[in-house]
Amino acid sequence: MNIRSAVLYAAIGKASGFRSAVGITTFLVLRFQGTRYERLSIGGSVVAIGGEFVMDKLPTTPSRLAPPSLTARAAAGGAAAYAIARAQSEPVAPAIAIGVASAVAASYAGHAYRGWASKRVPALAAALVEDAVALGMGAAVLGQVAE
């Protein structure tokens, strides 16, 4: 594994820590072989991204640090890093470890950011910035893997 790959695993883990559906979608896109079911899966994951973006803004949404949510974010980061490693023919175990660790760290960082930013700007604005960062990181990683 080289530095570039480690950065890609960490970046997709971070994106997953902010929004788990970004990591799931990255995994599906990288594993895409063109079957009808895969197209449906990717379409469903895009809907999930939209749903997660909406749910994240609701006051009744549980904390991202609650065990079910944190576990899902960690799993999404690990799965996306796994797919990147496979796409680049690299060992998957270190990729998964980096993706999981980065997703957990980003979940805590995102929680801290939102608390900090919500005292300075409207909570919705803070959340939208986080959405944009997660999507941008996911897109950047996919662009790098496709090269």
Side-chain angles (χ1 to χ4, degrees):
M1 172 177 48
N2 57 41
I3 299 280
R4 178 184 175 276
S5 295
V7 169
L8 290 175
Y9 306 146
I12 201 59
K14 185 172 186 174
S16 300
F18 289 158
R19 299 290 177 269
S20 60
V22 171
I24 294 165
T25 302
T26 301
F27 172 80
L28 292 171
V29 168
L30 289 173
R31 303 297 296 164
F32 184 72
Q33 299 295 314
T35 70
R36 176 176 181 245
Y37 298 108
E38 288 173 329
R39 287 192 298 274
L40 289 172
S41 295
I42 290 173
S45 71
V46 170
V47 171
I49 287 175
E52 186 174 9
F53 283 5
V54 170
M55 291 295 295
D56 177 67
K57 302 342 172 248
L58 300 177
T60 57
T61 301
S63 170
R64 71 181 78 202
L65 303 180
S69 179
L70 190 59
T71 301
R73 291 167 191 268
Y82 163 85
I84 293 167
R86 289 291 305 262
Q88 300 183 130
S89 301
E90 294 184 345
V92 296
I96 293 169
I98 292 169
V100 167
S102 182
V104 171
S107 295
Y108 281 92
H111 180 76
Y113 156 76
R114 288 282 287 279
W116 173 84
S118 294
K119 294 176 185 169
R120 289 155 178 78
V121 299
L124 179 60
L128 291 174
V129 167
E130 192 177 9
D131 291 345
V133 169
L135 282 176
M137 290 181 83
V141 169
L142 280 173
Q144 287 295 310
V145 173
E147 288 182 349

